[in-house]
Amino acid sequence: MLLLIAVLFALFLLLGLPVAFALILASIPVFVVTGTMPPTVAIQKMVTATQSFPLLAVPFFIFAGNLMNATGITERLIRFARLLTGWLAGGLGQVSIVLSLMMGGISGSAVADASMEARLLGPSMIAKGGYSKSAAAAVLAFGSIITATIPPSIGLILFGFINEVSIGRLFLAGVVPGILLTLTLMLVSWIVATRNGYLPDLAELPTSRQLWSSFKESIWALAFPVILIVGFRFGIFTATEAGAFLVFYALFVGFFVYRELTPAKLYDAVKGSVTDLGMVMLLIMMAAVLGYAVTIERGPQQVASLVTSLTEDPLFILVLVLLLLLVSGMFLEGAANILLVTPIVLPVLVHAGYDPIHMGILMVTLINIGGLTPPVGVIMFTVCGILNVKTGAFAKASIPYFVGLLVFLAILIAIPALSLSSRPSDVNAWYSAPRGRSRP
């Protein structure tokens, strides 16, 4: 039955059906043909999937991000990022990467970040910075995946919800890897820019007065992720409560601090949030049905048996699972991949002795990398469509960044402390546990 589900799902995707409908249609045989469960159970699972307190974090963060984008914060962050890195080789490329780090604490979505930056920075990178269209698209697309780790990442919220892992701890665990990923991409971008003669955006280093002035303009936006980190670290609020608080924070900044949030912009933010949330919730509902069908058919146990029959070495098991996620990421949209695939493979990794928080950061980052590859690379197609770039040229320009990402992932695998630093006791326990046995 599992094979039939997989074949049907692949067939519906090839026919061009939206992922959400492919998910629900592929699960029908379990409820209709086998008779294991009545079809009414599928409806119940669709409803109960939406009745979750932790899941409220998704609409709150989506709405807060859209509100912050409507308040003029983006322009202020661009100016600040330009002063910080615009004087480096390939200045606007560096600006885009640093901006992704800053916007990661606001938008929470790699696709939204890539789309926004491609429109704002892409034309200037090509006209003034010396970038080719494909080179500009590569920098913008790869920089956007920083939002996969920086809180409030929507991917981390979905991972925590579907796998029953603390969303607050996932947010804390993503900070150091997010900064490391930013530095890695900046280094790769600098090497590429130096070799190809891409121009700086600023002729000279900014003065301390310019930096301080721009910092003060951006302080309300930069405080956004800091509030999250402090709140989670000291147990002030849960992820859902943080999302609700940040909605009011964004309204306060928009109406009373920058005074750029008009009723028309507020309406657009609400409209955009409803649209974004509708897509996410439809995926969650349909994935819940298929996930339940896979569970009935003992999918996780069969996957675990298959993997352990190939190898019992924890490192090889991790590599196999990550390769599976990379391949599935090439065909599935990120949210669908997190909701459908991670519940099946995470138990295998936990049984092999890996920490679910560490694995969450790894898997969500890797799944977003799938958005940069054909045939269903949502991030890739978004940026290439805006800048009118062919996918073949994009793939060629992306090679250095892929190498950088592989190095980053290798470091993250080799040093679990980078994503477990929010709880030092977890790091000590992980390293002291015997290989092949369950670690905390």
Side-chain angles (χ1 to χ4, degrees), residues 126 133-134 137 381-391 393:
I126 297 167
K133 287 185 178 181
S134 58
F381 286 127
T382 298
V383 175
C384 288
I386 293 172
L387 297 181
N388 192 25
V389 178
K390 294 183 178 179
T391 54

Side-chain angles (χ1 to χ4, degrees), residues 128-397:
K128 300 178 181 178
Y131 283 84
S132 64
K133 287 185 178 181
S134 58
V139 177
L140 294 166
F142 278 80
S144 71
I145 66 170
I146 296 170
T147 58
T149 59
I150 294 294
S153 164
I154 301 300
L156 291 180
I157 295 175
L158 295 179
F159 179 89
F161 161 73
I162 200 69
N163 293 291
E164 298 182 355
V165 177
S166 169
I167 297 173
R169 287 187 60 199
L170 283 168
F171 279 0
L172 288 173
V175 174
V176 175
I179 294 173
L180 177 61
L181 178 57
T182 302
L183 295 175
T184 302
L185 291 175
M186 287 182 68
L187 176 61
V188 173
S189 181
W190 179 82
I191 293 173
V192 171
T194 302
R195 292 183 59 184
N196 292 280
Y198 300 149
L199 302 174
D201 187 47
L202 296 177
E204 57 186 16
L205 288 171
T207 65
S208 57
R209 177 173 295 183
Q210 289 174 318
L211 284 170
W212 177 245
S213 176
S214 182
F215 175 77
K216 286 192 297 183
E217 286 184 351
S218 308
I219 188 64
W220 289 96
L222 297 174
F224 196 74
V226 174
I227 292 173
L228 287 178
I229 296 167
V230 172
F232 291 133
R233 185 65 183 87
F234 294 98
I236 299 173
F237 41 56
T238 65
T240 304
E241 293 164 348
F245 169 78
L246 290 176
V247 168
F248 286 100
Y249 177 87
L251 289 170
F252 173 78
V253 171
F255 281 125
F256 301 108
V257 180
Y258 293 150
R259 299 180 181 180
E260 295 185 19
L261 185 60
T262 62
K265 289 183 178 180
L266 178 59
Y267 173 78
D268 289 339
V270 172
K271 183 179 178 180
S273 299
V274 170
T275 302
D276 295 341
L277 182 61
M279 293 186 293
V280 173
M281 292 306 298
L282 187 61
L283 280 171
I284 290 174
M285 293 166 64
M286 302 310 182
V289 178
L290 184 56
Y292 183 68
V294 171
T295 302
I296 292 174
E297 296 299 319
R298 296 177 56 82
Q301 292 85 346
Q302 292 188 37
V303 171
S305 299
L306 175 62
V307 172
T308 53
S309 68
L310 297 174
T311 177
E312 293 186 359
D313 186 283
L315 181 58
F316 285 161
I317 290 175
L318 176 60
V319 171
L320 286 175
V321 169
L322 294 182
L323 286 174
L324 171 64
L325 284 170
L326 182 61
V327 173
S328 64
M330 295 178 182
F331 298 92
L332 285 176
E333 190 271 333
N337 208 349
I338 292 170
L339 294 168
L340 183 62
V341 182
T342 60
I344 297 175
V345 298
L346 183 62
V348 178
L349 295 173
V350 172
H351 181 73
Y354 291 101
D355 186 281
I357 300 294
H358 181 208
M359 293 300 100
I361 302 299
L362 264 177
M363 287 195 280
V364 172
T365 304
L366 194 63
I367 286 169
N368 276 268
I369 293 174
L372 301 167
T373 57
V376 191
V378 179
I379 301 172
M380 175 188 69
F381 286 127
T382 298
V383 175
C384 288
I386 293 172
L387 297 181
N388 192 25
V389 178
K390 294 183 178 179
T391 54
F394 173 86
K396 184 178 179 181

